Amino acid sequence: MHEIFKNHLDDSELNGNPFRYRGIEYQMQNGSLTVIGITRRYCSTLVIPDYFTSTDYRDMDTVTEYNYVREIAPTVFACKPIERVKLPCGLWRIGADAFAGCTSLRSVTFTGCEDIHIEENAFAGCGQLAVINNLPSTLKIIAKKLNTIKFRVS
């Protein structure tokens, strides 16, 4: 497992192989990243970066591609002591039970997510979840049916 210290990737080494960045594990497939794990025991605030950059190593100053974080794998943060989470822009999918049982989770912030698929029970058992910020427009209809969560839609 590679440990990345900057928000920068070498695609040739990491494609298909898991790596860590700031306590979160990722896997890259064909330029898209999936969150697959967490290595921190305690993480009150979880911030998933929007993307990592790839550089053309023939010219170290040229960024050739952005590798966006597109998915959060099923059960990846289940039952973790997370209080707040900021989801990356460009996120396409939150896997089934991804945050299930996160009894301390109080707020979720979407940052520019539009066409996002949230799988079954992604936030099941998150009894303290009271605020969802920047709810994607595609989910506003669903949100109105949930009367226990205060939605701040911007």
Side-chain angles (χ1 to χ4, degrees):
M1 168 113 27
H2 294 278
E3 181 76 36
I4 304 295
F5 296 101
K6 294 183 179 176
N7 207 17
H8 174 80
L9 300 175
D10 177 353
D11 287 357
S12 61
E13 277 186 47
L14 296 174
N15 198 26
N17 296 313
F19 69 93
R20 273 187 219 118
Y21 177 71
R22 294 187 179 170
I24 301 173
E25 295 178 3
Y26 302 87
Q27 186 164 15
M28 182 167 53
Q29 287 291 25
N30 302 319
S32 290
L33 294 164
T34 300
V35 177
I36 61 168
I38 187 167
T39 59
R40 295 184 242 166
R41 290 180 195 260
Y42 178 75
C43 176
S44 65
T45 301
L46 178 66
V47 177
I48 301 171
D50 296 334
Y51 59 84
F52 291 82
T53 57
S54 299
T55 300
D56 181 342
Y57 285 93
R58 293 167 292 193
D59 179 0
M60 291 298 284
D61 296 325
T62 304
V63 174
T64 59
E65 184 178 345
Y66 290 96
N67 303 101
Y68 286 90
V69 177
R70 298 292 190 195
E71 295 187 40
I72 297 175
T75 69
V76 73
F77 299 115
C79 300
K80 302 289 188 225
I82 300 167
E83 295 175 13
R84 291 172 296 284
V85 63
K86 179 184 170 222
L87 299 171
C89 76
L91 188 66
W92 291 343
R93 177 179 310 272
I94 298 175
D97 302 306
F99 294 92
C102 290
T103 57
S104 299
L105 187 61
R106 296 172 188 269
S107 73
V108 174
T109 300
F110 290 88
T111 55
C113 306
E114 279 304 317
D115 295 322
I116 186 169
H117 179 76
I118 300 176
E119 293 184 353
E120 189 173 348
N121 298 319
F123 294 95
C126 298
Q128 296 294 317
L129 184 56
V131 177
I132 296 181
N133 295 302
N134 304 323
L135 188 69
S137 59
T138 53
L139 296 178
K140 288 178 186 175
I141 294 171
I142 296 168
K144 289 178 183 175
K145 294 179 181 177
L146 301 173
N147 58 9
T148 58
I149 299 175
K150 300 171 190 167
F151 295 96
R152 292 183 191 159
V153 180
S154 61

